[in-house]
Coordinates of all heavy atoms in Angstrom, one line a residue:
Chain A
A371 N -24.3 20.1 -41.2 CA -23.0 20.5 -41.4 C -22.3 21.0 -40.1 O -21.2 20.6 -39.8 CB -22.9 21.6 -42.4
E372 N -23.1 21.7 -39.3 CA -22.6 22.1 -38.0 C -22.4 21.0 -37.1 O -21.4 20.9 -36.4 CB -23.6 23.1 -37.4 CG -23.6 24.5 -37.9 CD -22.2 25.1 -37.8 OE1 -21.5 24.8 -36.8 OE2 -21.7 25.7 -38.8
M373 N -23.3 20.0 -37.1 CA -23.2 18.9 -36.3 C -21.9 18.1 -36.6 O -21.2 17.6 -35.7 CB -24.4 17.9 -36.4 CG -25.7 18.6 -36.1 SD -25.9 18.7 -34.3 CE -26.7 17.1 -34.0
E374 N -21.6 18.1 -37.9 CA -20.4 17.4 -38.3 C -19.2 18.0 -37.7 O -18.2 17.3 -37.4 CB -20.4 17.5 -39.9 CG -19.6 16.4 -40.5 CD -19.8 16.2 -42.0 OE1 -20.6 17.1 -42.5 OE2 -19.3 15.4 -42.6
N375 N -19.2 19.4 -37.7 CA -18.0 20.0 -37.1 C -18.0 20.0 -35.6 O -17.0 20.3 -35.0 CB -18.0 21.5 -37.5 CG -17.8 21.7 -39.0 OD1 -17.1 20.9 -39.6 ND2 -18.5 22.6 -39.6
L376 N -19.2 19.7 -35.0 CA -19.3 19.8 -33.5 C -19.3 18.5 -32.8 O -18.6 18.4 -31.7 CB -20.7 20.5 -33.3 CG -21.0 20.9 -31.9 CD1 -20.0 22.0 -31.4 CD2 -22.4 21.5 -31.9
C377 N -19.9 17.5 -33.3 CA -20.2 16.3 -32.5 C -19.0 15.3 -32.5 O -18.3 15.2 -33.5 CB -21.4 15.6 -33.1 SG -22.9 16.6 -33.0
D378 N -18.9 14.7 -31.4 CA -18.0 13.6 -31.3 C -18.7 12.3 -31.8 O -18.1 11.4 -32.4 CB -17.5 13.4 -29.9 CG -16.9 14.6 -29.4 OD1 -16.0 15.2 -30.1 OD2 -17.2 15.1 -28.3
R379 N -20.0 12.1 -31.4 CA -20.7 11.0 -31.8 C -22.1 11.4 -32.2 O -22.5 12.6 -31.9 CB -20.9 10.0 -30.6 CG -19.5 9.3 -30.2 CD -19.8 8.1 -29.4 NE -20.5 8.4 -28.1 CZ -21.3 7.6 -27.5 NH1 -21.6 6.4 -28.0 NH2 -21.8 7.9 -26.3
A380 N -22.8 10.5 -32.9 CA -24.2 10.9 -33.3 C -25.1 9.7 -33.1 O -24.6 8.5 -33.3 CB -24.2 11.4 -34.7
T381 N -26.3 10.0 -32.6 CA -27.3 8.9 -32.6 C -28.4 9.3 -33.6 O -28.9 10.4 -33.6 CB -27.9 8.9 -31.2 OG1 -26.9 8.5 -30.2 CG2 -29.1 7.9 -31.1
I382 N -28.7 8.3 -34.5 CA -29.7 8.6 -35.5 C -31.0 7.9 -35.1 O -31.0 6.7 -34.7 CB -29.2 8.2 -36.9 CG1 -27.9 9.0 -37.2 CG2 -30.3 8.4 -37.9 CD1 -27.3 8.7 -38.6
I383 N -32.0 8.7 -35.1 CA -33.3 8.2 -34.7 C -34.3 8.4 -35.8 O -34.3 9.4 -36.5 CB -33.8 8.9 -33.4 CG1 -35.2 8.4 -33.0 CG2 -33.8 10.4 -33.5 CD1 -35.6 8.9 -31.6
A384 N -35.1 7.4 -36.1 CA -36.2 7.5 -37.1 C -37.4 6.6 -36.6 O -37.2 5.5 -36.1 CB -35.7 7.0 -38.4
N385 N -38.6 7.2 -36.8 CA -39.8 6.5 -36.4 C -39.7 6.0 -34.9 O -40.2 4.9 -34.6 CB -40.1 5.3 -37.3 CG -40.3 5.8 -38.7 OD1 -41.0 6.8 -38.9 ND2 -39.8 5.1 -39.7
G386 N -39.1 6.8 -34.1 CA -39.1 6.5 -32.7 C -38.1 5.4 -32.3 O -38.1 4.9 -31.1
R387 N -37.3 5.0 -33.2 CA -36.3 4.0 -32.9 C -34.9 4.5 -33.2 O -34.7 5.2 -34.1 CB -36.5 2.7 -33.8 CG -37.8 2.0 -33.4 CD -37.9 0.8 -34.3 NE -39.1 0.1 -33.9 CZ -39.3 -1.2 -34.3 NH1 -38.4 -1.8 -35.0 NH2 -40.4 -1.8 -33.9
V388 N -33.9 4.1 -32.4 CA -32.6 4.4 -32.6 C -32.0 3.5 -33.7 O -32.1 2.3 -33.6 CB -31.7 4.3 -31.3 CG1 -30.2 4.5 -31.7 CG2 -32.1 5.4 -30.3
I389 N -31.6 4.1 -34.8 CA -31.1 3.3 -35.9 C -29.6 3.0 -35.7 O -29.2 1.8 -35.9 CB -31.4 4.0 -37.3 CG1 -32.9 4.1 -37.4 CG2 -30.7 3.2 -38.4 CD1 -33.3 4.9 -38.6
C390 N -28.9 4.0 -35.4 CA -27.5 3.7 -35.1 C -26.9 4.7 -34.2 O -27.4 5.8 -34.1 CB -26.7 3.5 -36.4 SG -26.2 5.0 -37.1
E391 N -25.8 4.4 -33.6 CA -25.1 5.3 -32.7 C -23.6 5.0 -32.8 O -23.2 4.0 -32.4 CB -25.7 5.0 -31.3 CG -25.1 6.0 -30.2 CD -24.0 5.4 -29.4 OE1 -24.3 4.4 -28.6 OE2 -22.9 5.8 -29.6
K392 N -23.0 6.0 -33.4 CA -21.5 5.8 -33.7 C -20.8 7.1 -33.6 O -21.4 8.2 -33.6 CB -21.3 5.2 -35.1 CG -21.8 3.7 -35.2 CD -21.4 3.2 -36.6 CE -21.9 1.8 -36.7 NZ -21.4 0.8 -35.7
S393 N -19.5 7.0 -33.6 CA -18.7 8.3 -33.6 C -18.8 8.8 -35.1 O -19.2 8.0 -36.0 CB -17.2 8.0 -33.3 OG -16.6 7.3 -34.3
L394 N -18.5 10.1 -35.2 CA -18.7 10.7 -36.5 C -17.8 10.0 -37.6 O -18.3 9.7 -38.7 CB -18.3 12.1 -36.5 CG -19.4 13.2 -36.4 CD1 -20.1 13.2 -37.8 CD2 -20.5 12.8 -35.4
S395 N -16.6 9.6 -37.2 CA -15.7 9.0 -38.2 C -16.2 7.6 -38.5 O -16.2 7.2 -39.7 CB -14.2 9.0 -37.6 OG -14.2 8.4 -36.4
E396 N -16.6 6.9 -37.5 CA -17.2 5.5 -37.7 C -18.3 5.6 -38.7 O -18.5 4.8 -39.6 CB -17.7 4.9 -36.4 CG -16.5 4.4 -35.5 CD -17.1 3.9 -34.2 OE1 -18.2 4.3 -33.8 OE2 -16.3 3.2 -33.5
L397 N -19.1 6.6 -38.5 CA -20.4 6.7 -39.3 C -20.0 7.0 -40.8 O -20.6 6.3 -41.6 CB -21.2 7.9 -38.7 CG -22.7 7.9 -39.0 CD1 -23.3 6.7 -38.4 CD2 -23.3 9.2 -38.4
T398 N -19.1 7.9 -41.0 CA -18.8 8.1 -42.4 C -18.0 7.0 -43.0 O -18.2 6.6 -44.2 CB -18.0 9.5 -42.6 OG1 -17.0 9.5 -41.6 CG2 -18.9 10.6 -42.4
D399 N -17.1 6.4 -42.2 CA -16.3 5.3 -42.7 C -17.2 4.1 -43.1 O -17.0 3.4 -44.0 CB -15.3 4.8 -41.7 CG -14.1 5.8 -41.6 OD1 -14.1 6.7 -42.5 OD2 -13.3 5.7 -40.7
M400 N -18.2 3.9 -42.2 CA -19.2 2.8 -42.5 C -19.7 2.9 -43.9 O -19.9 1.9 -44.5 CB -20.3 2.9 -41.4 CG -21.3 1.8 -41.5 SD -22.6 2.0 -40.3 CE -23.6 3.2 -41.1
L401 N -20.0 4.1 -44.3 CA -20.6 4.3 -45.6 C -19.5 4.2 -46.7 O -19.7 3.7 -47.8 CB -21.3 5.6 -45.7 CG -22.7 5.6 -45.0 CD1 -23.2 7.0 -45.0 CD2 -23.7 4.7 -45.7
N402 N -18.4 4.9 -46.3 CA -17.3 5.0 -47.3 C -16.9 3.6 -47.7 O -16.7 3.3 -48.9 CB -16.2 5.8 -46.8 CG -16.6 7.3 -46.7 OD1 -17.5 7.7 -47.4 ND2 -15.9 8.0 -45.9
G403 N -16.6 2.6 -46.9 CA -16.2 1.3 -47.2 C -15.1 1.3 -48.2 O -14.0 1.8 -48.0
E404 N -15.3 0.7 -49.4 CA -14.4 0.8 -50.5 C -14.6 2.2 -51.2 O -15.7 2.5 -51.6 CB -14.7 -0.3 -51.5 CG -13.5 -0.6 -52.4 CD -13.7 -1.8 -53.3 OE1 -14.8 -1.9 -53.9 OE2 -12.9 -2.7 -53.2
P405 N -13.6 3.0 -51.2 CA -13.8 4.4 -51.7 C -14.2 4.5 -53.1 O -13.9 3.6 -53.9 CB -12.4 5.0 -51.5 CG -11.6 4.1 -50.6 CD -12.2 2.8 -50.8
T406 N -14.9 5.6 -53.4 CA -15.3 5.8 -54.8 C -14.4 6.9 -55.4 O -14.0 7.8 -54.7 CB -16.7 6.3 -54.8 OG1 -17.5 5.3 -54.2 CG2 -17.2 6.6 -56.2
F407 N -14.0 6.7 -56.7 CA -13.2 7.7 -57.3 C -13.9 8.2 -58.6 O -14.7 7.6 -59.2 CB -11.9 7.0 -57.8 CG -11.0 6.6 -56.6 CD1 -11.2 5.3 -56.0 CD2 -10.1 7.4 -56.0 CE1 -10.4 4.9 -54.9 CE2 -9.3 7.0 -55.0 CZ -9.5 5.8 -54.4
R408 N -13.5 9.4 -58.9 CA -14.0 10.1 -60.1 C -12.8 10.4 -61.0 O -11.9 11.1 -60.6 CB -14.8 11.4 -59.7 CG -16.2 11.2 -59.2 CD -16.8 12.5 -58.8 NE -18.2 12.2 -58.5 CZ -19.2 12.3 -59.4 NH1 -19.0 12.7 -60.6 NH2 -20.4 12.0 -59.0
L409 N -13.0 10.0 -62.2 CA -11.9 10.2 -63.2 C -12.3 11.1 -64.3 O -13.4 10.9 -64.9 CB -11.5 8.8 -63.8 CG -10.4 8.8 -64.8 CD1 -9.0 9.0 -64.2 CD2 -10.4 7.5 -65.7
D410 N -11.5 12.0 -64.7 CA -11.8 12.9 -65.8 C -10.9 12.4 -67.0 O -9.7 12.6 -67.0 CB -11.4 14.4 -65.5 CG -11.8 15.3 -66.6 OD1 -12.2 14.8 -67.6 OD2 -11.7 16.5 -66.4
A411 N -11.6 11.8 -67.9 CA -10.8 11.2 -69.1 C -11.0 12.0 -70.4 O -10.9 11.5 -71.5 CB -11.3 9.8 -69.3
G412 N -11.4 13.2 -70.2 CA -11.5 14.1 -71.3 C -12.7 13.6 -72.2 O -13.8 13.4 -71.7
A413 N -12.4 13.5 -73.5 CA -13.4 13.1 -74.4 C -13.6 11.6 -74.6 O -14.4 11.2 -75.4 CB -13.1 13.8 -75.8
A414 N -12.9 10.8 -73.8 CA -12.9 9.4 -74.0 C -13.4 8.6 -72.8 O -12.7 7.7 -72.3 CB -11.6 8.9 -74.5
P415 N -14.5 8.9 -72.2 CA -14.9 8.2 -71.0 C -15.2 6.8 -71.3 O -14.9 5.9 -70.4 CB -16.2 9.0 -70.5 CG -16.7 9.7 -71.7 CD -15.5 10.0 -72.6
Q416 N -15.8 6.4 -72.4 CA -16.2 5.0 -72.7 C -14.9 4.2 -72.8 O -14.9 3.0 -72.3 CB -17.0 5.0 -74.0 CG -18.4 5.6 -73.9 CD -19.2 5.1 -72.7 OE1 -19.1 3.9 -72.4 NE2 -19.9 6.0 -72.0
R417 N -13.9 4.7 -73.4 CA -12.7 3.9 -73.5 C -12.1 3.7 -72.1 O -11.6 2.6 -71.8 CB -11.7 4.7 -74.4 CG -10.3 4.2 -74.5 CD -10.3 2.9 -75.4 NE -8.9 2.3 -75.4 CZ -8.7 1.0 -75.2 NH1 -9.7 0.2 -75.0 NH2 -7.5 0.5 -75.3
A418 N -12.1 4.8 -71.4 CA -11.6 4.7 -70.0 C -12.4 3.6 -69.2 O -11.8 2.9 -68.4 CB -11.7 6.0 -69.3
I419 N -13.7 3.6 -69.4 CA -14.5 2.6 -68.6 C -14.1 1.2 -69.0 O -13.9 0.3 -68.2 CB -16.0 2.8 -69.0 CG1 -16.5 4.1 -68.3 CG2 -16.9 1.6 -68.5 CD1 -17.9 4.6 -68.7
Q420 N -13.8 1.0 -70.3 CA -13.4 -0.4 -70.8 C -12.1 -0.7 -70.1 O -11.9 -1.9 -69.6 CB -13.2 -0.4 -72.3 CG -14.5 -0.4 -73.0 CD -14.3 -0.3 -74.6 OE1 -13.2 -0.2 -75.1 NE2 -15.4 -0.5 -75.3
V421 N -11.1 0.2 -70.1 CA -9.8 -0.1 -69.6 C -9.9 -0.4 -68.1 O -9.3 -1.4 -67.6 CB -8.9 1.1 -69.8 CG1 -7.5 0.9 -69.1 CG2 -8.6 1.3 -71.3
I422 N -10.6 0.4 -67.4 CA -10.7 0.3 -65.9 C -11.4 -1.1 -65.6 O -11.0 -1.8 -64.7 CB -11.5 1.4 -65.3 CG1 -10.7 2.7 -65.4 CG2 -11.7 1.2 -63.8 CD1 -11.4 4.0 -65.1
R423 N -12.5 -1.3 -66.3 CA -13.3 -2.6 -66.0 C -12.4 -3.8 -66.2 O -12.3 -4.7 -65.4 CB -14.5 -2.6 -66.9 CG -15.5 -3.6 -66.4 CD -16.8 -3.5 -67.2 NE -17.6 -2.4 -66.8 CZ -18.6 -1.8 -67.5 NH1 -18.7 -2.2 -68.8 NH2 -19.3 -0.9 -67.0
G424 N -11.6 -3.7 -67.4 CA -10.8 -4.8 -67.8 C -9.7 -5.0 -66.7 O -9.4 -6.2 -66.3
F425 N -9.1 -3.9 -66.3 CA -8.1 -4.0 -65.3 C -8.6 -4.6 -64.0 O -7.9 -5.5 -63.4 CB -7.5 -2.6 -65.0 CG -6.3 -2.6 -64.1 CD1 -5.0 -2.9 -64.5 CD2 -6.5 -2.4 -62.7 CE1 -4.0 -2.9 -63.6 CE2 -5.4 -2.5 -61.8 CZ -4.2 -2.7 -62.3
I426 N -9.7 -4.1 -63.5 CA -10.2 -4.6 -62.2 C -10.6 -6.1 -62.4 O -10.3 -6.9 -61.5 CB -11.4 -3.8 -61.8 CG1 -11.0 -2.3 -61.5 CG2 -12.1 -4.4 -60.5 CD1 -12.1 -1.4 -61.1
E427 N -11.3 -6.4 -63.5 CA -11.7 -7.8 -63.6 C -10.5 -8.8 -63.7 O -10.6 -9.9 -63.3 CB -12.6 -8.0 -64.9 CG -14.0 -7.4 -64.7 CD -14.8 -7.4 -65.9 OE1 -14.3 -7.7 -67.0 OE2 -16.0 -7.0 -65.8
S428 N -9.5 -8.3 -64.3 CA -8.3 -9.2 -64.4 C -7.7 -9.6 -63.0 O -7.1 -10.6 -62.8 CB -7.2 -8.5 -65.2 OG -6.7 -7.4 -64.5
G429 N -8.0 -8.7 -62.1 CA -7.4 -9.0 -60.7 C -8.4 -9.7 -59.8 O -8.1 -10.0 -58.6
L430 N -9.6 -10.0 -60.3 CA -10.6 -10.6 -59.4 C -10.4 -12.1 -59.3 O -9.9 -12.8 -60.2 CB -12.0 -10.4 -60.1 CG -12.6 -9.0 -60.0 CD1 -14.0 -9.0 -60.7 CD2 -12.8 -8.6 -58.6
A431 N -10.7 -12.5 -58.1 CA -10.6 -14.0 -57.8 C -11.8 -14.6 -58.4 O -12.8 -14.0 -58.8 CB -10.5 -14.2 -56.3
E432 N -11.8 -16.0 -58.4 CA -12.9 -16.8 -59.0 C -14.2 -16.5 -58.2 O -14.2 -16.5 -57.0 CB -12.6 -18.3 -58.9 CG -13.5 -19.2 -59.6 CD -13.4 -19.2 -61.1 OE1 -12.3 -18.8 -61.6 OE2 -14.3 -19.5 -61.8
G433 N -15.3 -16.2 -58.9 CA -16.6 -16.0 -58.2 C -16.8 -14.5 -57.7 O -17.9 -14.2 -57.3
E434 N -15.8 -13.7 -57.7 CA -16.0 -12.3 -57.3 C -16.7 -11.5 -58.4 O -16.5 -11.7 -59.5 CB -14.7 -11.6 -57.0 CG -14.2 -11.9 -55.5 CD -12.9 -11.0 -55.2 OE1 -12.1 -10.9 -56.1 OE2 -12.9 -10.5 -54.1
T435 N -17.6 -10.6 -57.9 CA -18.4 -9.8 -58.8 C -17.6 -8.5 -59.1 O -17.1 -7.9 -58.2 CB -19.8 -9.4 -58.2 OG1 -20.3 -10.6 -57.6 CG2 -20.7 -8.8 -59.3
A436 N -17.6 -8.1 -60.3 CA -16.9 -6.9 -60.6 C -17.7 -5.7 -60.2 O -18.9 -5.6 -60.3 CB -16.8 -6.8 -62.2
P437 N -17.0 -4.7 -59.6 CA -17.7 -3.5 -59.2 C -18.2 -2.7 -60.4 O -17.7 -2.9 -61.5 CB -16.6 -2.7 -58.5 CG -15.3 -3.2 -59.0 CD -15.6 -4.6 -59.4
R438 N -19.2 -1.9 -60.1 CA -19.7 -1.1 -61.3 C -18.8 0.0 -61.6 O -18.2 0.7 -60.8 CB -21.1 -0.5 -60.8 CG -22.2 -1.5 -60.7 CD -23.5 -0.8 -60.4 NE -23.9 0.0 -61.5 CZ -24.8 1.0 -61.3 NH1 -25.4 1.2 -60.1 NH2 -25.2 1.7 -62.4
V439 N -18.6 0.2 -62.9 CA -17.9 1.3 -63.4 C -18.8 2.1 -64.4 O -19.3 1.5 -65.3 CB -16.6 0.9 -64.2 CG1 -15.8 2.1 -64.6 CG2 -15.7 0.0 -63.3
T440 N -19.1 3.3 -64.0 CA -20.1 4.0 -64.8 C -19.7 5.4 -65.2 O -18.6 5.9 -64.7 CB -21.4 4.2 -63.9 OG1 -21.0 4.9 -62.8 CG2 -22.1 2.9 -63.6
C441 N -20.5 6.0 -66.1 CA -20.2 7.3 -66.5 C -21.2 8.3 -65.9 O -22.4 8.0 -66.1 CB -20.1 7.4 -68.0 SG -19.8 9.1 -68.6

Side-chain angles (χ1 to χ4, degrees):
Chain A
E372 280 305 320
M373 298 287 268
E374 203 166 2
N375 292 326
L376 185 63
C377 298
D378 300 312
R379 289 198 299 150
T381 296
I382 296 178
I383 179 173
N385 297 320
R387 291 182 179 195
V388 171
I389 295 173
C390 80
E391 185 260 291
K392 291 187 184 300
S393 71
L394 258 287
S395 54
E396 283 174 340
L397 204 59
T398 47
D399 285 353
M400 181 181 81
L401 285 172
N402 287 337
E404 200 172 51
T406 301
F407 293 89
R408 279 179 173 267
L409 175 79
D410 186 352
Q416 292 307 322
R417 175 73 186 133
I419 289 169
Q420 282 177 358
V421 173
I422 293 168
R423 194 174 283 157
F425 183 84
I426 293 174
E427 281 173 358
S428 67
L430 286 176
E432 190 74 20
E434 272 187 319
T435 316
R438 288 182 67 195
V439 183
T440 57
C441 179

